[in-house]
PDB file of all heavy atoms in Angstrom:
ATOM      1  N   PRO A  34      74.964 108.799  66.831  1.00 94.00           N
ATOM      2  CA  PRO A  34      74.219 109.677  67.739  1.00 94.00           C
ATOM      3  C   PRO A  34      74.498 111.166  67.550  1.00 94.00           C
ATOM      4  O   PRO A  34      73.832 112.002  68.168  1.00 94.00           O
ATOM      5  CB  PRO A  34      74.658 109.201  69.125  1.00 94.00           C
ATOM      6  CG  PRO A  34      75.935 108.497  68.925  1.00 94.00           C
ATOM      7  CD  PRO A  34      75.883 107.898  67.552  1.00 94.00           C
ATOM      8  N   SER A  35      75.462 111.519  66.711  1.00 94.00           N
ATOM      9  CA  SER A  35      75.740 112.936  66.459  1.00 94.00           C
ATOM     10  C   SER A  35      74.908 113.498  65.308  1.00 94.00           C
ATOM     11  O   SER A  35      74.993 114.693  65.018  1.00 94.00           O
ATOM     12  CB  SER A  35      77.230 113.136  66.161  1.00 94.00           C
ATOM     13  OG  SER A  35      78.023 112.801  67.283  1.00 94.00           O
ATOM     14  N   THR A  36      74.111 112.641  64.644  1.00 93.00           N
ATOM     15  CA  THR A  36      73.276 113.109  63.546  1.00 93.00           C
ATOM     16  C   THR A  36      71.916 113.557  64.064  1.00 93.00           C
ATOM     17  O   THR A  36      71.535 113.245  65.201  1.00 93.00           O
ATOM     18  CB  THR A  36      73.099 111.999  62.494  1.00 93.00           C
ATOM     19  OG1 THR A  36      72.542 110.828  63.124  1.00 93.00           O
ATOM     20  CG2 THR A  36      74.431 111.635  61.872  1.00 93.00           C
ATOM     21  N   VAL A  37      71.159 114.265  63.218  1.00 91.00           N
ATOM     22  CA  VAL A  37      69.911 114.869  63.681  1.00 91.00           C
ATOM     23  C   VAL A  37      68.666 114.162  63.164  1.00 91.00           C
ATOM     24  O   VAL A  37      67.552 114.538  63.522  1.00 91.00           O
ATOM     25  CB  VAL A  37      69.852 116.360  63.276  1.00 91.00           C
ATOM     26  CG1 VAL A  37      70.962 117.131  63.955  1.00 91.00           C
ATOM     27  CG2 VAL A  37      69.925 116.516  61.756  1.00 91.00           C
ATOM     28  N   TYR A  38      68.816 113.150  62.316  1.00 94.00           N
ATOM     29  CA  TYR A  38      67.632 112.427  61.869  1.00 94.00           C
ATOM     30  C   TYR A  38      67.273 111.339  62.884  1.00 94.00           C
ATOM     31  O   TYR A  38      68.031 111.081  63.839  1.00 94.00           O
ATOM     32  CB  TYR A  38      67.833 111.847  60.467  1.00 94.00           C
ATOM     33  CG  TYR A  38      69.158 111.149  60.243  1.00 94.00           C
ATOM     34  CD1 TYR A  38      69.391 109.861  60.727  1.00 94.00           C
ATOM     35  CD2 TYR A  38      70.173 111.784  59.537  1.00 94.00           C
ATOM     36  CE1 TYR A  38      70.592 109.234  60.517  1.00 94.00           C
ATOM     37  CE2 TYR A  38      71.387 111.162  59.323  1.00 94.00           C
ATOM     38  CZ  TYR A  38      71.594 109.880  59.814  1.00 94.00           C
ATOM     39  OH  TYR A  38      72.793 109.255  59.614  1.00 94.00           O
ATOM     40  N   SER A  39      66.139 110.693  62.683  1.00 94.00           N
ATOM     41  CA  SER A  39      65.551 109.842  63.719  1.00 94.00           C
ATOM     42  C   SER A  39      66.446 108.679  64.127  1.00 94.00           C
ATOM     43  O   SER A  39      66.534 108.341  65.315  1.00 94.00           O
ATOM     44  CB  SER A  39      64.191 109.325  63.260  1.00 94.00           C
ATOM     45  OG  SER A  39      64.307 108.611  62.037  1.00 94.00           O
ATOM     46  N   LEU A  40      67.125 108.038  63.166  1.00 92.00           N
ATOM     47  CA  LEU A  40      67.980 106.899  63.512  1.00 92.00           C
ATOM     48  C   LEU A  40      69.110 107.339  64.443  1.00 92.00           C
ATOM     49  O   LEU A  40      69.458 106.616  65.396  1.00 92.00           O
ATOM     50  CB  LEU A  40      68.556 106.289  62.229  1.00 92.00           C
ATOM     51  CG  LEU A  40      69.194 104.902  62.362  1.00 92.00           C
ATOM     52  CD1 LEU A  40      68.170 103.860  62.798  1.00 92.00           C
ATOM     53  CD2 LEU A  40      69.846 104.489  61.042  1.00 92.00           C
ATOM     54  N   GLY A  41      69.661 108.510  64.179  1.00 94.00           N
ATOM     55  CA  GLY A  41      70.708 109.025  65.056  1.00 94.00           C
ATOM     56  C   GLY A  41      70.169 109.474  66.395  1.00 94.00           C
ATOM     57  O   GLY A  41      70.824 109.287  67.439  1.00 94.00           O
ATOM     58  N   LEU A  42      68.979 110.045  66.405  1.00 95.00           N
ATOM     59  CA  LEU A  42      68.386 110.508  67.663  1.00 95.00           C
ATOM     60  C   LEU A  42      68.075 109.352  68.598  1.00 95.00           C
ATOM     61  O   LEU A  42      68.204 109.473  69.815  1.00 95.00           O
ATOM     62  CB  LEU A  42      67.129 111.325  67.381  1.00 95.00           C
ATOM     63  CG  LEU A  42      67.339 112.654  66.642  1.00 95.00           C
ATOM     64  CD1 LEU A  42      66.005 113.311  66.349  1.00 95.00           C
ATOM     65  CD2 LEU A  42      68.227 113.587  67.461  1.00 95.00           C
ATOM     66  N   VAL A  43      67.672 108.219  68.031  1.00 96.00           N
ATOM     67  CA  VAL A  43      67.420 107.034  68.856  1.00 96.00           C
ATOM     68  C   VAL A  43      68.721 106.580  69.517  1.00 96.00           C
ATOM     69  O   VAL A  43      68.750 106.224  70.713  1.00 96.00           O
ATOM     70  CB  VAL A  43      66.820 105.902  68.002  1.00 96.00           C
ATOM     71  CG1 VAL A  43      66.800 104.592  68.776  1.00 96.00           C
ATOM     72  CG2 VAL A  43      65.411 106.261  67.553  1.00 96.00           C
ATOM     73  N   ALA A  44      69.802 106.588  68.757  1.00 97.00           N
ATOM     74  CA  ALA A  44      71.105 106.214  69.324  1.00 97.00           C
ATOM     75  C   ALA A  44      71.546 107.205  70.392  1.00 97.00           C
ATOM     76  O   ALA A  44      72.082 106.825  71.441  1.00 97.00           O
ATOM     77  CB  ALA A  44      72.151 106.128  68.219  1.00 97.00           C
ATOM     78  N   ALA A  45      71.322 108.493  70.142  1.00 96.00           N
ATOM     79  CA  ALA A  45      71.682 109.515  71.126  1.00 96.00           C
ATOM     80  C   ALA A  45      70.900 109.325  72.420  1.00 96.00           C
ATOM     81  O   ALA A  45      71.434 109.511  73.528  1.00 96.00           O
ATOM     82  CB  ALA A  45      71.424 110.906  70.552  1.00 96.00           C
ATOM     83  N   GLN A  46      69.633 108.938  72.279  1.00 97.00           N
ATOM     84  CA  GLN A  46      68.828 108.692  73.470  1.00 97.00           C
ATOM     85  C   GLN A  46      69.371 107.501  74.258  1.00 97.00           C
ATOM     86  O   GLN A  46      69.389 107.523  75.497  1.00 97.00           O
ATOM     87  CB  GLN A  46      67.375 108.430  73.079  1.00 97.00           C
ATOM     88  CG  GLN A  46      66.441 108.255  74.268  1.00 97.00           C
ATOM     89  CD  GLN A  46      65.003 108.035  73.840  1.00 97.00           C
ATOM     90  OE1 GLN A  46      64.738 107.618  72.715  1.00 97.00           O
ATOM     91  NE2 GLN A  46      64.067 108.314  74.733  1.00 97.00           N
ATOM     92  N   ALA A  47      69.844 106.466  73.565  1.00 98.00           N
ATOM     93  CA  ALA A  47      70.425 105.304  74.244  1.00 98.00           C
ATOM     94  C   ALA A  47      71.687 105.688  75.013  1.00 98.00           C
ATOM     95  O   ALA A  47      71.908 105.235  76.138  1.00 98.00           O
ATOM     96  CB  ALA A  47      70.741 104.211  73.228  1.00 98.00           C
ATOM     97  N   VAL A  48      72.508 106.527  74.402  1.00 98.00           N
ATOM     98  CA  VAL A  48      73.722 107.004  75.079  1.00 98.00           C
ATOM     99  C   VAL A  48      73.351 107.792  76.332  1.00 98.00           C
ATOM    100  O   VAL A  48      73.950 107.614  77.402  1.00 98.00           O
ATOM    101  CB  VAL A  48      74.575 107.856  74.122  1.00 98.00           C
ATOM    102  CG1 VAL A  48      75.709 108.559  74.876  1.00 98.00           C
ATOM    103  CG2 VAL A  48      75.146 106.999  73.001  1.00 98.00           C
ATOM    104  N   GLN A  49      72.344 108.643  76.234  1.00 98.00           N
ATOM    105  CA  GLN A  49      71.928 109.442  77.377  1.00 98.00           C
ATOM    106  C   GLN A  49      71.348 108.572  78.489  1.00 98.00           C
ATOM    107  O   GLN A  49      71.608 108.808  79.678  1.00 98.00           O
ATOM    108  CB  GLN A  49      70.917 110.504  76.942  1.00 98.00           C
ATOM    109  CG  GLN A  49      70.471 111.444  78.057  1.00 98.00           C
ATOM    110  CD  GLN A  49      71.609 112.226  78.689  1.00 98.00           C
ATOM    111  OE1 GLN A  49      72.679 112.393  78.077  1.00 98.00           O
ATOM    112  NE2 GLN A  49      71.413 112.705  79.915  1.00 98.00           N
ATOM    113  N   GLN A  50      70.565 107.574  78.118  1.00 98.00           N
ATOM    114  CA  GLN A  50      70.008 106.670  79.131  1.00 98.00           C
ATOM    115  C   GLN A  50      71.113 105.914  79.850  1.00 98.00           C
ATOM    116  O   GLN A  50      71.045 105.708  81.073  1.00 98.00           O
ATOM    117  CB  GLN A  50      69.022 105.703  78.469  1.00 98.00           C
ATOM    118  CG  GLN A  50      67.718 106.357  78.048  1.00 98.00           C
ATOM    119  CD  GLN A  50      66.812 105.411  77.259  1.00 98.00           C
ATOM    120  OE1 GLN A  50      67.254 104.368  76.757  1.00 98.00           O
ATOM    121  NE2 GLN A  50      65.558 105.784  77.127  1.00 98.00           N
ATOM    122  N   ALA A  51      72.134 105.494  79.096  1.00 98.00           N
ATOM    123  CA  ALA A  51      73.277 104.824  79.722  1.00 98.00           C
ATOM    124  C   ALA A  51      73.999 105.772  80.671  1.00 98.00           C
ATOM    125  O   ALA A  51      74.389 105.390  81.785  1.00 98.00           O
ATOM    126  CB  ALA A  51      74.238 104.328  78.644  1.00 98.00           C
TER     127      ALA A  51
END
Side-chain angles (χ1 to χ4, degrees):
S35 296
T36 57
V37 297
Y38 46 77
S39 57
L40 194 63
L42 294 176
V43 169
Q46 184 178 22
V48 170
Q49 183 59 22
Q50 288 174 344

